[in-house]
Short mmCIF file of all heavy atoms in Angstrom, two decimals:
data_model
loop_
_atom_site.label_atom_id
_atom_site.label_comp_id
_atom_site.label_asym_id
_atom_site.label_seq_id
_atom_site.Cartn_x
_atom_site.Cartn_y
_atom_site.Cartn_z
N ALA Y 20 9.05 6.84 14.04
CA ALA Y 20 8.47 7.86 13.18
C ALA Y 20 8.37 7.37 11.74
O ALA Y 20 7.35 7.58 11.06
CB ALA Y 20 9.30 9.14 13.25
N ALA Y 21 9.40 6.67 11.26
CA ALA Y 21 9.37 6.15 9.89
C ALA Y 21 8.30 5.08 9.72
O ALA Y 21 7.54 5.09 8.74
CB ALA Y 21 10.75 5.58 9.52
N VAL Y 22 8.21 4.16 10.70
CA VAL Y 22 7.20 3.10 10.62
C VAL Y 22 5.80 3.69 10.74
O VAL Y 22 4.88 3.29 10.01
CB VAL Y 22 7.46 2.02 11.71
CG1 VAL Y 22 6.31 1.05 11.81
CG2 VAL Y 22 8.75 1.28 11.41
N ALA Y 23 5.63 4.66 11.63
CA ALA Y 23 4.31 5.30 11.79
C ALA Y 23 3.92 6.04 10.51
O ALA Y 23 2.75 6.01 10.09
CB ALA Y 23 4.33 6.25 12.98
N GLY Y 24 4.89 6.69 9.86
CA GLY Y 24 4.60 7.38 8.60
C GLY Y 24 4.18 6.40 7.51
O GLY Y 24 3.24 6.65 6.75
N ALA Y 25 4.89 5.25 7.43
CA ALA Y 25 4.54 4.24 6.42
C ALA Y 25 3.15 3.67 6.70
O ALA Y 25 2.34 3.50 5.77
CB ALA Y 25 5.59 3.13 6.42
N PHE Y 26 2.85 3.37 7.97
CA PHE Y 26 1.53 2.85 8.31
C PHE Y 26 0.44 3.89 8.05
O PHE Y 26 -0.67 3.54 7.63
CB PHE Y 26 1.50 2.38 9.77
CG PHE Y 26 1.82 0.93 9.94
CD1 PHE Y 26 3.12 0.48 9.87
CD2 PHE Y 26 0.82 -0.01 10.16
CE1 PHE Y 26 3.43 -0.85 10.01
CE2 PHE Y 26 1.11 -1.35 10.32
CZ PHE Y 26 2.43 -1.78 10.23
N ALA Y 27 0.75 5.15 8.31
CA ALA Y 27 -0.24 6.20 8.06
C ALA Y 27 -0.54 6.30 6.56
O ALA Y 27 -1.71 6.47 6.16
CB ALA Y 27 0.26 7.54 8.59
N TYR Y 28 0.48 6.16 5.74
CA TYR Y 28 0.26 6.21 4.29
C TYR Y 28 -0.58 5.03 3.83
O TYR Y 28 -1.54 5.19 3.07
CB TYR Y 28 1.61 6.23 3.56
CG TYR Y 28 1.45 6.28 2.06
CD1 TYR Y 28 1.18 7.49 1.42
CD2 TYR Y 28 1.56 5.14 1.29
CE1 TYR Y 28 1.02 7.55 0.04
CE2 TYR Y 28 1.41 5.18 -0.08
CZ TYR Y 28 1.14 6.39 -0.71
OH TYR Y 28 0.98 6.44 -2.06
N VAL Y 29 -0.22 3.81 4.32
CA VAL Y 29 -0.98 2.62 3.93
C VAL Y 29 -2.41 2.70 4.47
O VAL Y 29 -3.35 2.24 3.83
CB VAL Y 29 -0.26 1.34 4.41
CG1 VAL Y 29 -1.12 0.11 4.19
CG2 VAL Y 29 1.06 1.18 3.69
N GLY Y 30 -2.58 3.30 5.64
CA GLY Y 30 -3.92 3.45 6.19
C GLY Y 30 -4.77 4.43 5.40
O GLY Y 30 -5.99 4.30 5.34
N THR Y 31 -4.11 5.40 4.79
CA THR Y 31 -4.84 6.41 4.01
C THR Y 31 -5.11 5.94 2.59
O THR Y 31 -6.22 6.13 2.06
CB THR Y 31 -4.03 7.73 3.97
OG1 THR Y 31 -3.74 8.12 5.31
CG2 THR Y 31 -4.78 8.83 3.28
N VAL Y 32 -4.10 5.35 1.96
CA VAL Y 32 -4.23 4.90 0.57
C VAL Y 32 -4.53 3.40 0.60
O VAL Y 32 -3.68 2.59 0.90
CB VAL Y 32 -2.94 5.19 -0.22
CG1 VAL Y 32 -3.08 4.73 -1.66
CG2 VAL Y 32 -2.59 6.66 -0.15
N ASP Y 33 -5.74 3.04 0.30
CA ASP Y 33 -6.21 1.66 0.42
C ASP Y 33 -5.55 0.73 -0.60
O ASP Y 33 -5.70 0.94 -1.81
CB ASP Y 33 -7.74 1.64 0.23
CG ASP Y 33 -8.35 0.31 0.59
OD1 ASP Y 33 -7.61 -0.63 0.95
OD2 ASP Y 33 -9.59 0.20 0.51
N PRO Y 34 -4.83 -0.30 -0.14
CA PRO Y 34 -4.21 -1.24 -1.09
C PRO Y 34 -5.22 -2.19 -1.73
O PRO Y 34 -4.87 -2.89 -2.68
CB PRO Y 34 -3.21 -2.01 -0.24
CG PRO Y 34 -3.68 -1.87 1.15
CD PRO Y 34 -4.44 -0.58 1.24
N ASN Y 35 -6.45 -2.22 -1.24
CA ASN Y 35 -7.47 -3.07 -1.86
C ASN Y 35 -7.96 -2.49 -3.19
O ASN Y 35 -8.56 -3.19 -3.99
CB ASN Y 35 -8.66 -3.25 -0.90
CG ASN Y 35 -8.25 -4.06 0.32
OD1 ASN Y 35 -7.70 -5.13 0.20
ND2 ASN Y 35 -8.50 -3.51 1.50
N GLU Y 36 -7.74 -1.21 -3.42
CA GLU Y 36 -8.10 -0.58 -4.69
C GLU Y 36 -6.90 -0.70 -5.63
O GLU Y 36 -5.78 -0.35 -5.26
CB GLU Y 36 -8.44 0.89 -4.46
CG GLU Y 36 -9.66 1.10 -3.59
CD GLU Y 36 -9.92 2.56 -3.30
OE1 GLU Y 36 -9.24 3.43 -3.92
OE2 GLU Y 36 -10.78 2.85 -2.46
N PRO Y 37 -7.11 -1.20 -6.83
CA PRO Y 37 -5.98 -1.41 -7.74
C PRO Y 37 -5.37 -0.09 -8.22
O PRO Y 37 -6.03 0.94 -8.28
CB PRO Y 37 -6.61 -2.19 -8.91
CG PRO Y 37 -8.06 -1.93 -8.83
CD PRO Y 37 -8.38 -1.62 -7.39
N GLY Y 38 -4.08 -0.17 -8.53
CA GLY Y 38 -3.39 0.98 -9.11
C GLY Y 38 -2.59 1.81 -8.13
O GLY Y 38 -1.83 2.69 -8.55
N HIS Y 39 -2.74 1.59 -6.84
CA HIS Y 39 -2.01 2.42 -5.88
C HIS Y 39 -0.63 1.86 -5.55
O HIS Y 39 0.29 2.62 -5.21
CB HIS Y 39 -2.81 2.57 -4.57
CG HIS Y 39 -4.07 3.34 -4.72
ND1 HIS Y 39 -4.10 4.67 -5.04
CD2 HIS Y 39 -5.37 2.95 -4.61
CE1 HIS Y 39 -5.35 5.09 -5.10
NE2 HIS Y 39 -6.15 4.06 -4.85
N TYR Y 40 -0.46 0.57 -5.58
CA TYR Y 40 0.80 -0.08 -5.20
C TYR Y 40 1.21 -1.06 -6.29
O TYR Y 40 0.36 -1.62 -6.99
CB TYR Y 40 0.63 -0.82 -3.87
CG TYR Y 40 0.23 0.07 -2.72
CD1 TYR Y 40 -1.10 0.20 -2.33
CD2 TYR Y 40 1.19 0.79 -2.03
CE1 TYR Y 40 -1.46 1.01 -1.28
CE2 TYR Y 40 0.83 1.62 -0.98
CZ TYR Y 40 -0.49 1.72 -0.61
OH TYR Y 40 -0.85 2.54 0.43
N PRO Y 41 2.51 -1.31 -6.44
CA PRO Y 41 2.94 -2.30 -7.44
C PRO Y 41 2.56 -3.71 -7.01
O PRO Y 41 2.43 -4.01 -5.83
CB PRO Y 41 4.47 -2.13 -7.47
CG PRO Y 41 4.82 -1.49 -6.18
CD PRO Y 41 3.65 -0.67 -5.76
N VAL Y 42 2.39 -4.58 -8.01
CA VAL Y 42 2.04 -5.97 -7.75
C VAL Y 42 3.32 -6.74 -7.41
O VAL Y 42 4.39 -6.42 -7.93
CB VAL Y 42 1.35 -6.58 -9.00
CG1 VAL Y 42 1.02 -8.04 -8.78
CG2 VAL Y 42 0.11 -5.79 -9.35
N CYS Y 43 3.20 -7.74 -6.56
CA CYS Y 43 4.35 -8.58 -6.20
C CYS Y 43 4.91 -9.22 -7.46
O CYS Y 43 4.17 -9.84 -8.24
CB CYS Y 43 3.89 -9.67 -5.22
SG CYS Y 43 5.15 -10.92 -4.89
N PRO Y 44 6.22 -9.08 -7.73
CA PRO Y 44 6.80 -9.64 -8.96
C PRO Y 44 6.64 -11.16 -9.05
O PRO Y 44 6.39 -11.70 -10.13
CB PRO Y 44 8.27 -9.25 -8.91
CG PRO Y 44 8.41 -8.27 -7.82
CD PRO Y 44 7.20 -8.35 -6.96
N LEU Y 45 6.81 -11.87 -7.91
CA LEU Y 45 6.67 -13.33 -7.94
C LEU Y 45 5.24 -13.73 -8.30
O LEU Y 45 5.02 -14.64 -9.11
CB LEU Y 45 7.06 -13.93 -6.58
CG LEU Y 45 7.02 -15.45 -6.49
CD1 LEU Y 45 8.09 -16.06 -7.38
CD2 LEU Y 45 7.21 -15.91 -5.05
N LEU Y 46 4.27 -13.02 -7.74
CA LEU Y 46 2.86 -13.31 -8.04
C LEU Y 46 2.55 -12.98 -9.50
O LEU Y 46 1.84 -13.73 -10.19
CB LEU Y 46 1.96 -12.52 -7.10
CG LEU Y 46 0.45 -12.70 -7.29
CD1 LEU Y 46 0.04 -14.14 -7.01
CD2 LEU Y 46 -0.31 -11.74 -6.39
#
C-alpha cells in the first residue's frame, strides 16, 4: 500500500516538470 501510494503520487505529479521535487544534492 505504501509503495503503491508513492507510485500513484509520482504518476500523478510529473517529475519532468521542474519545481515539484527536490534536486539531487550530489548533482
Side-chain angles (χ1 to χ4, degrees):
V22 170
F26 267 77
Y28 180 80
V29 172
T31 305
V32 181
D33 190 358
N35 293 308
E36 297 176 9
H39 293 294
Y40 300 97
V42 178
C43 171
L45 183 67
L46 179 64

